[in-house]
Amino acid sequence: MTTKLFGEPVRRREDARLISGQGRYLDDLGPGALAAAFVRSPHAHARITHIDVDAALEVDGLVAIYTWEDLPAGVCEPLPLLIPHPALTHGRTAYPLARDVVRHVGEPIVMVVAKDRYVAEDVCSLIEVGYEFLKPVVGIEEAVSGAHLVHEDVPGNVGAHLVQEVPSADGRSAAEAIEAAPHTLSFRLDIERSACTPLEGKGVYARWDADDQSLRVYSSTQTSTSVRMALAAKLGLPLPKVEVIAPDVGGGFGVKIVHPWPEEVLVPWAARLLNQEVKWTEDRREHFISSAHERAQVQHVRVGFDDEGRVLGLSVEILHDHGAYTPYGIIVPIITSTQLLGPYRIGAYRVEFSSIYTNTVQVTPYRGAGRPQGVFCMERTMDKIAQHLGRDRADVRAANFIQPDQFPYDQGMIFQDGRPLIYDSGDYPESLRKLKDLIGWDDFPAQREAARAEGRRLGIGLGCYVEGTGVGPYEGGHIQITSDGRVHVSTGLTSQGQGHETVFAQIAATELGVPIERVSVVTGDTRRFGYAVGTFASRAAVMSGNAIALACRKVREKALRVAADALEADPRDLEITDGVVHVVGSPSASIPLATVAVLSNPLRYAFDEEAKRATQFAGAASMDRPPVAEGEEPGLEGKDYYSPIRSTFASGMHAAIVETDPDTAEIRILRYAVVHDCGKMINPMLVEGQIHGGVAQGVGGALYEKMVYDEHGQLLNASFMDFLMPYATEIPHIETDHLETPSPLNPLGIKGAGEAGVIPVSAVIAAAIEDAEGLPIDRMPISPSDLYAIRRTAGN
Ligand code: MCN
């Protein structure tokens, strides 16, 4: 059957357009719009004493200059704290333009609108801002000393403090279980700051329609519906008068889920005030210093275990660097502390985190969102246990696995969505078996020895993770079949390159029995779909995928009802193949879906051939009854929502073989293997693409990428000249195998895949380097100079 597309490696439909330059990104829109630019703080911590714009006023082409004082009620207030939490006792967000104090380099202070960006930047350079310097607080250690404060009213710079404790089955606390364990270890781990750095930065373009008193905003966002709600509220506009559209988006990786960004409020506000189109496109330096970062944590670990390596008690204290503000709440450290448990069933667990303010760029989720840090912690722990006991590292993991017959498995904690952390399905022993086969785990020791005899240092490492995906609360799908037989699918969440246009079309084509060529998909356009949450937490496949399937089922049912009427058949005897409804076993008794669409509309003007054909059926079908039957709505269309009871948990295991240079400490990845389980795959080729992209980002985090701040809070590497990213030349060939344990929680049995690739990479690379060098690797990323220093400290 040509319409069975779910699970097939269909090529990405969006690529022809995107790779041939036909994409329409934010900066391609509104070529005649006025341009906005911002004066941003050059200091990490300072009080603004005055702003003098006089020298800028004469610049030709200047349209307006705004400071905080110019902003009206609504716009002038601090930006929202999107996900409050009782433990976030001192949540703080920024004003859209700094009011009196700036708390990181890059904080916006003045907005300039001019005829183009060149003029706007010239004006910015002529505006003088006076500062009284305050002591910047940089780095976790300095912040926890509490000697200087980022926010005057936040003692000790602690924004949040949360403890979660799960006792052992026999009621022991983690401290008691560790105390009583035959073996114990304590150590510290350090993880540096990194950032999403999508190739397209943020951007917003707004048009005010004075006649209609309505606003249209294009934003490079991961959530157009939430930007819309925020704008309606902040600008005092009725919701139906605000439209927000995410055009093609050149990557998001988490940073574009924050909403509204200051510019997302200020640009539309100025467009309405000036009654002119206004646009702002973020430049690279702006992205580095005024969007968001993630990852930085210090972790103190204590673990107690038995002779087999089974963890009897684990206690982790996390210091989480939150930067200057907490617009996205404490989701990142909550995820670290809960997802740290991975595929393991451990005795007693205690985790405690403090979320610490520093005078640096704020922290919000970046692909993996706290999981890479959690996995780093747990997997380093597993390796240290194995080393202490002299046992095989894979065996120690296997000894701790949750077994396939133990699902659903309740970890006894509260997850990021406020619901219990209950794993729905998985088969961790089988994943490990596949991974060991794929990388050749059991044969590696001989390989290591052979290399050593030649003076080469090879090492192998592995890492496991479990990832909560598809978090709620809901997503919706709308299906419309028109009289030309085309299927129009829309869903409210947005796309940044994941391939939604392809996979959602696959789902609709499969459910409706139509050729995929007839299906078109729209995402992230509030004109088409008003209620949605957004794209993050690897949730689009699960949430919108299932919503679209449910909506298709509704429409299919209606199509069969209408067709049965026209064919004088029983709907139960009908099926749809290649866009044609026919009686099973009697293909001649058929009616195209296009005709069914016409029949579903009481206004059946003969605009096209299908409509004319439909009149053949129409007479018989509707002469003696009302044009719209009772209980029916006109049109062959339908909408449905999917709202899960809780998240579904994907999982995976990675392994790598690395070589370290004995002289230069250069680190090369020779092989990289992934076994991945995201339940039923809609499109295995896209899943592999997501994994490749994720691993590439993970390799960046493991070996290259870090945000380097000096003691004054200046970001020293705020450009792609200085912030090292891996090129294709540094990314190994990625060998992949899959496992499909369907999720019992949703109709399609799927779990998310979008973040999986990145999550365990740092842990895996650290383990492999440690194996090659015989030296503990307790920090990430690790550069050749870092490795060299570790060797020197160890006297090697
Ligand atoms: N997929 C599938 N079968 C499954 C699961 C997923 O075929 N069982 C497919 C999906 O249909 C989709 C892709 O894999 O095409 C990723 O799906 P999903 O796991 O639902 O993730 P989302 O679509 O919600 O994307 C978000 C996720 C996150 S959180 C980040 S961050 C991220 C990522 O995806 N940012 C990305 N991948 C990215 N890829 C690109 N190109 N750009 C980004 O900004």
Side-chain angles (χ1 to χ4, degrees), residues 699-747:
V699 167
L703 296 177
Y704 305 103
E705 300 173 2
K706 71 175 172 187
M707 296 291 166
V708 183
Y709 276 99
D710 70 8
E711 72 272 26
H712 307 293
Q714 295 292 339
L715 185 58
L716 300 181
N717 58 343
S719 84
F720 281 152
M721 291 288 284
D722 305 303
F723 177 83
L724 276 188
M725 279 199 306
Y727 298 125
T729 41
E730 278 80 44
I731 302 302
H733 169 68
I734 299 157
E735 302 158 59
T736 321
D737 196 358
H738 298 283
L739 190 70
E740 287 186 293
T741 57
S743 171
L745 299 180
N746 64 72

Side-chain angles (χ1 to χ4, degrees), residues 252-253 497-498 500 503 539-541 678 680 682-683 690 751 753-754:
F253 304 111
Q498 294 88 346
H500 297 149
V503 284
R539 65 190 296 281
C678 59
K680 289 281 180 202
I682 307 166
N683 185 328
Q690 284 290 309
K751 305 175 179 182

Side-chain angles (χ1 to χ4, degrees), residues 403-421:
Q403 296 302 310
D405 60 358
Q406 291 177 315
F407 292 99
Y409 187 83
D410 188 347
Q411 285 282 22
M413 304 188 79
I414 299 299
F415 191 42
Q416 72 178 100
D417 53 5
R419 305 196 183 186
L421 183 68

Side-chain angles (χ1 to χ4, degrees), residues 527-653:
R527 294 171 301 178
R528 291 288 298 279
F529 209 101
Y531 291 95
V533 182
T535 299
F536 59 97
S538 300
R539 65 190 296 281
V542 175
M543 301 301 302
S544 283
N546 279 290
I548 288 166
L550 293 173
C552 285
R553 288 173 195 182
K554 267 190 180 170
V555 173
R556 184 175 188 277
E557 239 177 68
K558 177 167 187 182
L560 295 187
R561 267 199 317 272
V562 174
D565 203 20
L567 295 169
E568 294 177 343
D570 188 322
R572 285 169 300 187
D573 295 335
L574 299 180
E575 66 176 5
I576 313 175
T577 315
D578 271 341
V580 177
V581 190
H582 59 88
V583 177
V584 180
S586 170
S588 57
S590 67
I591 174 171
L593 265 182
T595 313
V596 178
V598 180
L599 289 176
S600 305
N601 181 356
L603 279 178
R604 300 185 201 102
Y605 298 119
F607 286 128
D608 51 34
E609 282 313 304
E610 283 309 329
K612 283 179 199 149
R613 273 174 59 136
T615 52
Q616 296 162 19
F617 294 95
S622 64
M623 287 293 273
D624 55 352
R625 63 187 85 164
V628 180
E630 208 179 320
E632 293 285 15
E633 289 176 358
L636 190 51
E637 64 181 59
K639 184 189 272 190
D640 212 338
Y641 290 88
Y642 171 66
S643 180
I645 47 166
R646 55 178 184 269
S647 301
T648 170
F649 288 83
S651 62
M653 300 181 189

